């Protein structure tokens, strides 16, 4: 059973120097209560806390650890590269190789620019869409999270939803006025927003499978419908693949759903967990980016050699061994079926949303298809469930509004043990 010994004292100490004791809000555990677990290291499918206690990891650093932690080829590549210095602020051949590799997996990406985070990628993609179309407004969906740049912090998911922050102080009305929102999966509402703002909407940005309100799937025709609206109205379709890119398929959600976006954003996955992001897409749009065009975007650490070699190694592994993603999906399907059985037997109302290697349990008797339905779930029960799992050594997302991410280091024994822990946890809280 988990004890919080070192984490408690580290959390107290952290709060003296870091806002809320953490460098990203969700990990403070305010969404579930209690003391955050301070991690010392991770290997394969497991996290180890400051006391050396082991947890089976179901967040995979929020996506990128697709093949597990400290994946040997990635670690070896970083070790070798770091001896050549950690940053140059000048171009390298490796950046070209990285761009070429991504293009080989995502055929509709003609040009791609590296940045240092998913936030930066989304913020830059939006600027590009605005610069390209000459329009200011854009549509985002309630409960979707595209990083913390001002225009996206309107009805956002992830920590904003977890802490129920209605309006983010510091985001000016000027920055937020051009953000139009409607419910995920509601194509009719998108049509209405476009009609009400005729000729003013530059882009639609969407998580093609949402992971920031828990895992919420696009309904049949939703993504295709967005594509059609963008084509008809000369708007740029942006897929935020920070969570889904290279995880759902080599070509991400674009490949999985057969829908091409105009611009795509990626995050930590292309650095194998190092601080990286990227945005890319059709060349006629990407040509507006400086220095080709005047849409300015820059970063000294963009294309950082250590981040590039880590990401290049991970993505090459995935590309050269396509069975890895198939295997991961199969493992997730195996776990999902066991969870379904265990949840059904518990008699507790639930929804199990699942796509590829992402899943979420919502304690809800109605389907969860958007933020309103996700938020109508029994959050208090989720909190109890989270802690019941944690004390059994299973680290789930510490928020009812985040997806689980599986990694391929998980063994059948791990998955069986997870199902057993879920059964015990449900008995405990039911
Ligand atoms: N916003 C991230 C997941 N949606 C959480 C980031 C973190 O706390 O590390």
């Amino acid at each position: 059973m988990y004890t919080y010994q070192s984490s408690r004292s580290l959390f107290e100490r952290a709060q003296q120097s870091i806002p809320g004791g953490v460098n990203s809000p969700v990990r403070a555990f305010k969404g579930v209560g209690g003391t955050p677990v301070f991690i010392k290291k991770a290997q394969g499918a497991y996290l180890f806390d400051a006391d050396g206690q082991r947890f089976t990891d179901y967040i995979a650093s929020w996506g990128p650890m697709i093949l597990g932690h400290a994946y040997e080829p990635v670690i070896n590549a970083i070790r070798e590269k770091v001896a050549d210095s950690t940053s140059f602020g000048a171009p390298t051949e490796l950046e070209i190789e990285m761009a070429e590799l991504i293009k080989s997996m995502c055929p509709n990406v003609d040009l791609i620019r590296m940045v240092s985070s998913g936030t930066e990628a989304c913020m830059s993609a939006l600027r590009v869409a605005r610069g390209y179309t000459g329009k200011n407004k854009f549509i985002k969906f309630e409960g979707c999270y595209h990083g913390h740049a001002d225009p996206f912090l309107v009805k956002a998911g992830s920590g904003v939803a977890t802490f129920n922050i209605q309006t983010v102080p510091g985001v000016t009305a000027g920055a937020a006025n051009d953000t139009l929102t409607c419910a995920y999966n509601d194509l009719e509402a998108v049509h209405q927003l476009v009609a009400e703002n005729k000729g003013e909407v530059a882009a639609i940005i969407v998580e093609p499978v949402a992971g920031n309100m828990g895992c919420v799937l696009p309904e049949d025709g939703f993504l295709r419908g967005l594509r059609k609206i963008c084509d008809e109205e000369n708007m740029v379709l942006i897929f935020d693949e920070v969570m889904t890119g290279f995880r759902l398929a080599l070509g991400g959600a674009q490949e999985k759903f057969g829908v091409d976006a105009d611009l795509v954003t990626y995050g930590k996955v292309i650095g194998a967990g190092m601080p990286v992001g990227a945005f890319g897409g059709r060349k006629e749009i990407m040509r507006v980016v400086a220095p080709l065009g005047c849409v300015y975007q820059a970063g000294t650490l963009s294309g950082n050699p250590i981040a590039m070699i880590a990401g290049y190694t991970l993505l090459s592994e995935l590309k050269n061994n396509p069975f890895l993603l198939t295997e991961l999906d199969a493992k997730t399907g195996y776990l999902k079926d066991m969870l379904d059985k265990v949840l059904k037997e518990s008699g507790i109302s639930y929804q199990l949303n699942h796509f590829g290697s992402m899943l979420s349990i919502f304690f809800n008797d109605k389907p969860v298809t958007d933020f309103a339905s996700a938020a109508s779930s029994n959050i208090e029960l989720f909190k109890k469930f989270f802690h019941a799992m944690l004390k059994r050594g299973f680290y789930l997302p510490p928020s009812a509004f985040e997806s689980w991410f599986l990694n391929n280091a998980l063994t059948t024994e791990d998955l069986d043990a997870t199902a057993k822990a879920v059964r015990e946890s449900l008995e405990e809280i039911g």
Side-chain angles (χ1 to χ4, degrees):
M1 287 282 173
Y2 179 54
T3 61
Y4 292 87
Q5 239 172 333
S6 292
S7 287
R8 271 192 221 284
S9 58
L10 288 171
F11 190 43
E12 257 164 49
R13 187 172 139 210
Q15 289 173 87
Q16 307 311 310
S17 316
I18 303 172
V22 291
N23 282 315
S24 193
V26 171
R27 64 181 79 158
F29 274 30
K30 276 178 99 176
V32 287
T35 305
V37 180
F38 279 68
I39 303 300
K40 193 160 190 179
K41 64 173 190 176
Q43 183 67 55
Y46 310 120
L47 301 169
F48 296 87
D49 78 353
D51 292 317
Q53 296 183 96
R54 194 186 92 168
F55 298 87
T56 305
D57 180 21
Y58 279 102
I59 66 167
S61 191
W62 303 103
M65 298 306 172
I66 294 175
L67 300 180
H69 289 276
Y71 187 66
E72 214 178 321
V74 171
I75 298 301
N76 289 342
I78 293 173
R79 273 208 185 102
E80 200 180 313
K81 199 75 184 164
V82 81
D84 295 337
S85 186
T86 48
S87 177
F88 310 123
T92 61
E93 185 177 358
L94 182 55
E95 291 162 77
I96 312 172
E97 287 169 348
M98 184 66 164
E100 289 170 350
L101 179 62
I102 293 174
K103 282 174 58 171
S104 74
M105 293 191 263
C106 311
N108 65 325
V109 171
D110 301 320
L111 293 171
I112 182 152
R113 168 64 59 83
M114 295 295 147
V115 293
S116 297
S117 70
T119 289
E120 238 191 289
C122 292
M123 157 190 119
S124 307
L126 177 61
R127 186 180 306 139
V128 167
R130 285 170 160 168
Y132 174 72
T133 58
K135 300 185 274 188
N136 291 340
K137 296 186 179 178
F138 75 101
I139 296 173
K140 78 170 276 292
F141 297 94
E142 293 161 13
C144 282
Y145 179 76
H146 306 289
H148 63 88
D150 288 357
F152 297 123
L153 290 180
V154 182
K155 299 198 176 161
S158 189
V160 182
T162 304
F163 305 136
N164 193 19
I165 299 174
Q166 301 294 324
T167 313
V168 179
V171 173
T172 63
N177 277 348
D178 290 326
T179 308
L180 310 172
T181 61
C182 64
Y184 195 78
N185 277 322
D186 190 347
L187 266 186
E188 206 32 61
V190 177
H191 276 291
Q192 201 172 322
L193 283 177
V194 171
E196 286 165 6
N197 297 274
K198 194 79 186 157
E200 293 183 274
V201 183
I204 298 176
I205 186 166
V206 65
E207 288 180 72
V209 172
N212 284 292
M213 47 180 144
C215 177
V216 174
L217 277 56
E219 286 173 352
D220 265 1
F222 177 58
L223 298 174
R224 202 164 290 286
L226 297 181
R227 178 66 276 168
K228 189 162 178 281
I229 296 171
C230 285
D231 288 340
E232 288 166 359
E233 300 290 334
N234 185 30
M235 288 157 34
V236 174
L237 180 60
I238 308 172
F239 273 11
D240 176 343
E241 296 234 39
V242 167
M243 288 176 162
T244 52
F246 309 102
R247 172 173 275 277
L248 299 189
L250 292 180
Q254 294 197 100
E255 179 185 321
K256 211 72 194 173
F257 293 97
V259 177
D260 282 353
D262 300 306
L263 293 177
V264 196
T265 61
Y266 300 109
K268 43 227 163 209
V269 65
I270 58 169
M274 298 282 290
V276 191
F279 63 99
R282 286 166 44 206
K283 56 178 166 300
E284 58 270 40
I285 301 178
M286 287 297 287
R287 275 200 191 112
V288 303
V289 177
L292 272 182
C294 294
V295 174
Y296 200 73
Q297 187 284 324
T300 301
L301 295 178
S302 303
N304 173 271
I306 313 306
M308 289 296 98
I309 199 64
Y312 184 84
T313 308
L314 174 66
L315 298 190
S316 300
E317 289 278 304
L318 295 175
K319 185 180 173 188
N320 297 335
N321 305 290
F323 66 91
L324 289 171
L325 285 183
T326 317
E327 207 171 80
L328 177 57
D329 284 3
K331 286 181 186 180
T332 314
Y334 175 76
L335 178 65
K336 186 231 155 205
D337 288 346
M338 284 193 294
L339 295 183
D340 213 3
K341 186 164 176 280
V342 168
L343 281 154
K344 208 167 274 160
E345 285 166 6
S346 76
I348 295 173
S349 300
Y350 73 97
Q351 302 294 320
L352 195 47
N353 285 6
H354 156 243
F355 196 92
S357 52
M358 295 166 68
L359 71 81
S360 279
I361 298 172
F362 295 96
F363 295 112
N364 200 322
D365 55 2
K366 301 201 178 58
V368 173
T369 58
D370 57 13
F371 182 66
S373 44
S376 72
S377 306
N378 187 338
I379 307 295
E380 289 311 310
L381 197 59
F382 174 84
K383 292 179 186 176
K384 289 183 191 155
F385 176 64
F386 171 85
H387 282 289
M389 289 296 286
L390 186 71
K391 75 178 183 196
R392 290 174 170 81
F394 295 84
Y395 194 97
L396 306 182
S399 161
F401 300 103
E402 300 281 2
S403 176
W404 301 26
F405 294 95
L406 272 72
N407 70 78
N408 205 40
L410 287 160
T411 62
T412 307
E413 291 70 40
D414 292 324
L415 302 172
D416 291 342
T418 306
K420 180 171 176 279
V422 169
R423 182 189 300 279
E424 290 170 6
S425 297
L426 293 172
E427 278 166 13
E428 183 186 315
I429 65 173

